[in-house]
Amino acid sequence: MKRWIIDGHNVLHASSELRGLLSADSSSTSAQRALIHRVSVLKDFGGGSVEVVFDSRHEKSHNDRWRECQGLKGIEVTYGSADTQADSIIEQRVVASDAPESYRVVTNDRMIRHAVEAAGAEAVSVEAFVRELAQIEARQSRVINQLSKTAGAEFGNRLEF
């Protein structure tokens, strides 16, 4: 089973779309939510587990309820602390694992990439990850379109007023 670990703030800063949300929202909550929404396709169509790790931020306590909702969708959202930043959490997860080769770590941070690769995990650049997400989203769209065609007239939301 694939285990995705995503370096949240690294992806936010590397993606022009998400970086724009960061600059519009000083708390970064909207950018974080957009990233979580985008990666939910991994759980739905990519298989495996998904964890997004963010560095500690002041909005952490305000997001507890939202993080619980993401857990229901199968996306684990983890925040670092003042003592343990996201980079350390990611490295510790992989290095302490009984099966580090099952991890795919998404980051452009060279130190994290070297550490997880040395442990046996796969490091994926943000750019490669975005391309893979686009392919999974396209596959998801094809499946939904096919299901819609198959269901034909029976498929739809028809409420009479």
Side-chain angles (χ1 to χ4, degrees), residues 65-136:
R65 188 171 184 181
W66 172 73
R67 289 189 307 153
E68 289 172 12
C69 292
Q70 298 311 312
L72 295 175
K73 293 180 184 178
I75 308 292
E76 184 176 347
V77 179
T78 303
Y79 284 89
S81 66
D83 297 329
T84 309
Q85 291 300 307
D87 298 0
S88 298
I89 292 170
I90 293 167
E91 289 176 31
Q92 288 170 6
R93 291 265 197 286
V94 173
V95 171
S97 171
D98 291 337
E101 67 281 353
S102 66
Y103 282 96
R104 296 188 78 197
V105 178
V106 178
T107 186
N108 282 345
D109 185 302
R110 288 184 186 159
M111 290 185 68
I112 297 173
R113 292 174 66 85
H114 290 305
V116 300
E117 286 174 340
E122 178 184 1
V124 179
S125 71
V126 173
E127 296 76 20
F129 176 66
V130 168
R131 286 191 300 274
E132 188 167 348
L133 268 182
Q135 291 171 349
I136 294 170

